[in-house]
């Protein structure tokens, strides 16, 4: 099964750099892209994969989680803040593609500019272990 990791976040906003840190920690042998935010321009590349794994940070506490996501049935798209579920919806509508999709999220309380939590690296390492362990054939 062909897999693409789509890692995103803003390195300037402390813990929002989670996506980029996971991107850097993934082996070069996997198909991966990093972007500041999800953009419609990424649809063209994503349409060729059978499985997408989105990696992002979120507010909260609870470490790292990995869960399956599905295309949104909401017919509105906010291209300033494109969710992974809306991204999947656009893939379905524009390209008739419905890849298996997962969200790997690191939860952090602090999103201050330039400040990373003490558990940031633990979260990144946890994400890599979860991805390797829970999704077969990732790498």
């Amino acid at each position: 099964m062909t897999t693409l990791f789509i890692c995103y976040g803003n390195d300037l906003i402390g813990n929002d750099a989670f996506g980029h840190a996971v991107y850097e920690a993934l082996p070069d042998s996997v198909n991966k892209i990093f972007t500041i935010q999800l953009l419609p321009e990424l649809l063209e590349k994503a349409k060729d994969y059978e499985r997408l794994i989105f990696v992002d940070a979120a507010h909260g506490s609870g470490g790292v989680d990995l869960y399956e996501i599905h295309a949104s049935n909401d017919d509105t798209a906010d291209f300033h803040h494109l969710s992974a579920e809306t991204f999947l919806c656009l893939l379905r509508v524009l390209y008739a593609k419905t890849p298996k999709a997962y969200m790997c999220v690191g939860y952090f309380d602090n999103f201050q500019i330039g400040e990373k939590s003490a558990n940031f690296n633990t979260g990144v390492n946890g994400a890599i272990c979860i991805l390797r362990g829970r999704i077969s054939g990732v790498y």
Side-chain angles (χ1 to χ4, degrees):
M1 177 177 280
T2 57
T3 301
L4 175 65
F5 290 87
I6 302 174
C7 306
Y8 52 102
N10 187 335
D11 286 347
L12 299 176
I13 305 179
N15 292 318
D16 200 37
F18 177 76
H20 190 241
V22 171
Y23 170 86
E24 291 291 332
L26 287 167
D28 291 337
S29 60
V30 303
N31 298 308
K32 59 183 181 173
I33 56 175
F34 172 75
T35 184
I36 299 293
Q37 65 184 28
L38 287 178
L39 301 167
E41 293 84 356
L42 298 173
L43 292 164
E44 180 69 24
K45 180 167 181 127
K47 73 177 176 53
D48 296 326
Y49 291 88
E50 299 166 295
R51 178 171 49 197
L52 302 176
I53 301 173
F54 297 89
V55 180
D56 193 17
H59 285 279
S61 58
V64 178
D65 196 9
L66 176 72
Y67 52 90
E68 189 172 354
I69 59 173
H70 303 279
S72 169
N73 290 322
D74 185 2
D75 63 357
T76 60
D78 177 359
F79 293 111
H80 182 70
H81 178 73
L82 188 60
S83 72
E85 293 83 2
T86 302
F87 188 89
L88 293 171
C89 179
L90 291 170
L91 272 177
R92 182 181 62 206
V93 170
L94 296 173
Y95 298 105
K97 300 287 184 165
T98 54
K100 190 110 171 130
Y102 297 89
M103 174 60 74
C104 178
V105 63
Y107 293 101
F108 301 97
D109 292 328
N110 180 10
F111 282 82
Q112 298 298 316
I113 293 174
E115 293 181 25
K116 291 181 182 155
S117 297
N119 66 339
F120 182 82
N121 289 333
T122 301
V124 172
N125 292 334
I128 296 300
C129 288
I130 287 171
L131 290 167
R132 189 179 305 133
R134 288 189 31 204
I135 299 187
S136 65
V138 170
Y139 60 91

